[in-house]
Amino acid sequence: MPTYTATIPTPPGPFTIVASDEAVLASGWTDDAELLRAMIGTPLRPSGELTERKDLGPFTQAVKDYNAGDLAVIDAIPVSVSSTPFHERAWAALRLIPAGEPETYGQLAARCESPSAVRAAGTACGRNPAALFVPCHRIVRTGGGLGGFGYGLPVKRWLLDHEQGAATLA
């Protein structure tokens, strides 16, 4: 399966996507496509060369549109991920959290029908290979603290502020 990568500038930093023709496999605020390849679940991880492109059509356009204020555009982008059943449920649940309405790790665990699995919910966020398209940045600690984020808390803060500001304008 041919696999492509593109890095585009975004306000919080360079954003790289690794994708097939059909779906995003991994993405995040880095310019290191190999780092992202390593995050892809083994059954989906490309073993061949990643073909670098300037643009990945609807995938890179969605990131540009999101940054311009169209927060819902990322919801329609197909994502292909593979992990444990709980992580896959958590990643699907993350895609249902509306922009501008952060939830807690406990709420994510409850969405996964495992309300006591708060730590597992945090682990699912930490192992999310498709950041932004699977918006783990929308999960915060009880009380509103940021919690963690693999690409740094300044990026998470920017995303939450961006979503809050754009949601207020809508």
Side-chain angles (χ1 to χ4, degrees):
M1 160 176 72
T3 311
Y4 310 97
T5 184
T7 301
I8 61 172
T10 70
F15 186 81
T16 299
I17 301 169
V18 177
S20 68
D21 287 323
E22 296 82 29
V24 169
L25 303 172
S27 56
W29 287 268
T30 178
D31 56 6
D32 186 347
E34 290 303 323
L35 174 78
L36 294 172
R37 180 201 306 249
M39 294 176 68
I40 300 170
T42 305
L44 299 173
R45 186 176 303 139
S47 58
E49 182 179 338
L50 298 176
T51 303
E52 192 169 333
R53 290 193 171 165
K54 187 176 184 177
D55 182 81
L56 297 178
F59 305 143
T60 47
Q61 189 60 50
V63 176
K64 292 173 186 176
D65 292 347
Y66 170 89
N67 287 319
D70 182 359
L71 305 179
V73 71
I74 61 173
D75 300 340
I77 296 299
V79 174
S80 186
V81 292
S82 176
S83 188
T84 66
F86 181 85
H87 286 173
E88 290 181 12
R89 280 195 317 275
W91 295 337
L94 285 165
R95 296 197 82 191
L96 301 175
I97 298 171
E101 300 178 28
E103 294 188 4
T104 66
Y105 293 98
Q107 288 171 305
L108 176 59
R111 278 183 178 266
C112 296
E113 300 179 8
S114 299
S116 64
V118 176
R119 287 181 189 257
T123 300
C125 289
R127 293 187 181 162
N128 172 20
L132 186 61
F133 301 104
V134 177
C136 59
H137 64 273
R138 295 182 184 155
I139 300 299
V140 296
R141 290 182 174 160
T142 301
L146 289 182
F149 191 62
Y151 299 101
L153 294 182
V155 173
K156 185 172 185 173
R157 172 53 50 210
W158 186 91
L159 292 165
L160 292 172
D161 289 349
H162 173 65
E163 290 184 354
Q164 188 62 50
T168 302
L169 296 174

